[in-house]
Amino acid sequence: MKKIGLSICCVLALSVSTFAHSDEHGVKSEKQAKTAIQFRKAVFQLIRSNMGPLGAMAKGNIPYDPALMEENGERMVQLGMMIGDYFHADTSSFKVPSDAKDSVWTNKADFIAKSEDFIAAAQNLQNVAAAKDEDNYRKAIGGVGGTCKACHDDYKKD
């Protein structure tokens, strides 16, 4: 399972790396804009799929599982490192549906800082899991969720 997840991340990283750096100032066509937005949505769906079980664990709906926390934390670190690449291409000049607010482009430094906060929180989750720190796992999961909310509040359309 871990190898499959890493393979998917590698394919996405290669795709976005090629795409994101093709134009330093944004995309040149609606087709490119649609592709960029599809990649972004894919990363956030993968993040969501890794947060779901953690949220259930924090609420006590599934048992405490440090191995799951560590694995999902690792995935989220990797995905979080891709966020900046996926948002490298400014798609705001095209009429392509997106959940991103225009403030992503006008306040890019803060947006990137929030993605770095997400990475740090996911790394902390891994550390708490590795230590089998059952007293603090809910706080670590909440820390990751809090970084998601902070970014959504400022940069995601409702």
Side-chain angles (χ1 to χ4, degrees):
M1 183 72 158
K2 196 174 199 177
K3 288 182 182 179
I4 292 170
L6 288 174
S7 296
I8 291 169
C9 286
C10 289
V11 169
L12 286 172
L14 289 172
S15 298
V16 76
S17 178
T18 301
F19 178 81
H21 299 291
S22 65
D23 182 7
E24 290 298 318
H25 302 289
V27 295
K28 294 181 180 179
S29 71
E30 188 171 313
K31 182 178 178 181
Q32 285 182 336
K34 285 180 183 178
T35 299
I37 291 166
Q38 285 177 320
F39 287 160
R40 290 176 198 152
K41 287 181 178 183
V43 165
F44 290 122
Q45 285 296 332
L46 289 170
I47 290 171
R48 181 177 163 209
S49 75
N50 282 278
M51 272 304 294
L54 298 175
M57 189 183 307
K59 292 175 185 174
N61 295 335
I62 65 172
Y64 166 71
D65 183 346
L68 175 69
M69 290 171 48
E70 195 165 2
E71 180 176 46
N72 287 20
E74 178 181 357
R75 291 174 183 165
M76 289 188 294
V77 167
Q78 294 166 350
L79 291 163
M81 292 187 305
M82 294 179 198
I83 292 171
D85 283 340
Y86 282 98
F87 280 89
H88 181 77
D90 182 344
T91 58
S92 63
S93 62
F94 295 91
K95 299 289 184 207
V96 179
S98 172
D99 293 333
K101 291 180 180 177
D102 288 340
S103 56
V104 165
W105 314 114
T106 59
N107 200 0
K108 188 91 172 247
D110 183 63
F111 176 78
I112 296 302
K114 283 181 171 30
S115 73
E116 291 168 355
D117 292 344
F118 170 77
I119 294 166
Q123 289 170 329
N124 181 60
L125 177 70
Q126 288 179 286
N127 294 338
V128 169
K132 297 186 179 12
D133 185 354
E134 196 167 352
D135 292 334
N136 290 303
Y137 82 94
R138 285 185 172 96
K139 182 178 178 182
I141 293 170
V144 175
T147 64
C148 294
K149 182 181 179 338
C151 196
H152 288 195
D153 287 349
D154 292 339
Y155 300 110
K156 185 175 187 265
K157 294 176 185 173
D158 291 329

